[in-house]
Amino acid sequence: MPAETEPHERAWMAWPSAPYTLGETAAEAEEARTAWAAVANAISELEPISVVVDPSGRDEARRRLSSAVEQVDARLDDAWYRDIGPTFVVGTGADGQRSLGAVNWVFNGWGQQEWAIWDNDAHASGVATDLSGAVRIDSPMVNEGGGIHTDGLGTFLVTETVQLDPFRNPGWTKADVEAELVRTVGARKVIWLPRGLTRDSERFGTRGHVDIVATFTAPGRLLVHDQRDESHPDAAVTAEVVDLLSRETDADGRPLEVVRLPAPKTLVDDVGWVDYSYVNHFVLNGGVVACSFDDPVDAEAREVIADAYPGRSVVTVDARALFARGGGIHCITQQQPAVTPAVPTSPTNERGTP
């Protein structure tokens, strides 16, 4: 599995149409569609993007999405394509030719959540797999794209509460999970975080996805969510994660450099503790689409992200509507890596860079 920072052939998303994503009122539906469209349209400025659209959402998608966004009809239950879509990988044959693969995990509604519906989403990964022309790689493991992060060189981050969830993979051990990650995505070292953020571990969460906790920005370097306010329960969570990762090495024995990415000042919403996280951004050709929260920390976080990805433009999208529904920008996007080896370029001539 290449790093997200490597060149993309295109990005993939899905359009919101399920009641528990759109909400109960017209205003809530407007809020959701506006947020998804803002992310898709921002991506379309930098690289090709395909959005999978349930027939029930076709008219709204056509009205809101840029003409540069390719729309693909398919039945869906929800719109978190990072989790219901495939995880793309790249292989190199004996002749040196690179080929695209697509790992299709088992999806069961984030561990058989009682509110989730996944009859269609269980098959949604096949849409991008087939249209991309990738070699299909089926896995028996229940997993989601938001549950793994990689440096592209075989080092992976996971959480014990996701892959070892008894409602996902009953009876599986760490050794079982690691063996499957070796087989499917080329893992050489798996770093286990004990848990995810607090809100994400509650009723409408994923039980601890790593993609709002930590992400690789380059080999040996990580951005890690840093909750500075001790009154928030995530302060203890992130302190534990920072300590663990600061003592870890990658698959090549390189010590990990941990860069703290501050959490927003906002601590609660009308439900409880928030899990707003700037870590949940999407890196693409020449740029980064990052979260904002109309928060005093937005500007500082944007600077940290810009420093982490030199040469890439940073575009921010208000992600509060996404997090209110259980995720962020990274959660609704999925990258399809380019299989043609990229010609080395300077940051100023990457596609989409000013």
Side-chain angles (χ1 to χ4, degrees):
M1 181 181 175
E4 197 168 305
T5 52
E6 294 189 25
H8 299 178
E9 180 70 24
R10 69 177 50 247
W12 288 86
M13 289 178 60
W15 185 251
S17 56
Y20 58 80
T21 301
L22 293 179
E24 298 178 355
T25 68
E28 290 174 342
E30 174 72 16
E31 181 184 66
R33 291 170 179 140
T34 298
W36 259 264
V39 174
N41 291 337
I43 291 171
S44 74
E45 296 290 326
L46 294 173
E47 70 185 29
I49 178 171
S50 299
V51 177
V52 183
V53 182
D54 186 88
S56 66
R58 188 180 299 137
D59 291 343
E60 286 289 348
R62 286 175 178 166
R63 185 164 72 87
R64 296 168 184 270
L65 294 176
S66 161
S67 60
V69 177
E70 179 188 53
Q71 297 181 40
V72 178
D73 283 353
R75 298 293 301 179
L76 292 170
D77 299 304
D78 214 329
W80 307 96
Y81 209 65
R82 173 72 53 178
D83 295 344
I84 65 176
T87 294
F88 287 104
V89 295
V90 173
T92 304
D95 58 359
Q97 293 296 309
R98 285 158 53 98
S99 59
L100 185 69
V103 180
N104 284 248
W105 312 106
V106 176
F107 180 76
N108 73 349
W110 301 279
Q112 305 174 57
Q113 303 270 21
E114 52 86 16
W115 47 264
I117 302 168
W118 61 89
D119 289 349
N120 295 310
D121 286 352
H123 306 287
S125 60
V127 178
T129 299
D130 293 343
L131 291 177
S132 67
V135 175
R136 183 177 179 118
I137 303 166
D138 286 320
S139 174
M141 185 164 73
V142 177
N143 189 38
E144 303 91 34
I148 57 175
H149 252 320
T150 185
D151 62 354
L153 299 176
T155 310
F156 280 81
L157 302 177
V158 299
T159 53
E160 295 179 13
T161 53
V162 172
Q163 285 79 17
L164 300 182
D165 177 6
F167 294 96
R168 282 180 169 96
N169 299 300
W172 283 52
T173 65
K174 286 185 178 181
D176 295 330
V177 172
E178 291 177 9
E180 186 61 5
L181 292 175
V182 169
R183 186 185 74 85
T184 54
V185 291
R188 296 192 294 133
K189 178 171 183 177
V190 179
I191 299 173
W192 290 87
L193 305 184
R195 52 181 168 161
L197 300 186
T198 301
R199 175 75 164 265
D200 193 37
S201 302
E202 295 174 352
R203 183 184 176 202
F204 292 107
T206 69
R207 300 192 178 125
H209 271 186
V210 73
D211 68 350
I212 58 174
V213 181
T215 185
F216 286 100
T217 62
R221 188 179 305 132
L222 292 156
L223 285 179
V224 179
H225 183 70
D226 182 24
Q227 178 52 257
R228 299 167 172 174
D229 193 313
E230 293 294 331
S231 70
H232 195 301
D234 282 341
V237 175
T238 58
E240 183 179 21
V241 170
V242 167
D243 178 65
L244 185 155
L245 292 174
S246 297
R247 293 183 285 106
E248 271 288 359
T249 60
D250 66 12
D252 293 311
R254 181 189 296 113
L256 297 180
E257 176 189 353
V258 173
V259 177
R260 296 171 186 255
L261 184 56
K265 291 283 189 182
T266 304
L267 300 180
V268 297
D269 61 10
D270 57 0
V271 175
W273 299 110
V274 299
D275 55 1
Y276 293 171
S277 174
Y278 300 106
V279 169
N280 200 265
H281 53 266
F282 181 59
V283 184
L284 66 165
N285 295 341
V288 181
V289 181
C291 298
S292 64
F293 302 98
D294 191 24
D295 188 274
V297 179
D298 283 353
E300 179 187 354
R302 190 183 187 282
E303 290 182 8
V304 174
I305 290 170
D307 288 344
Y309 302 103
R312 297 179 191 262
S313 59
V314 179
V315 176
T316 58
V317 173
D318 191 329
R320 287 174 292 176
L322 299 174
F323 275 84
R325 289 158 174 80
I329 290 172
H330 194 259
C331 304
I332 65 173
T333 54
Q334 180 60 273
Q335 69 275 5
Q336 177 185 328
V339 296
T340 302
V343 176
T345 60
S346 67
T348 54
N349 61 14
E350 288 184 84
R351 178 169 41 160
T353 303

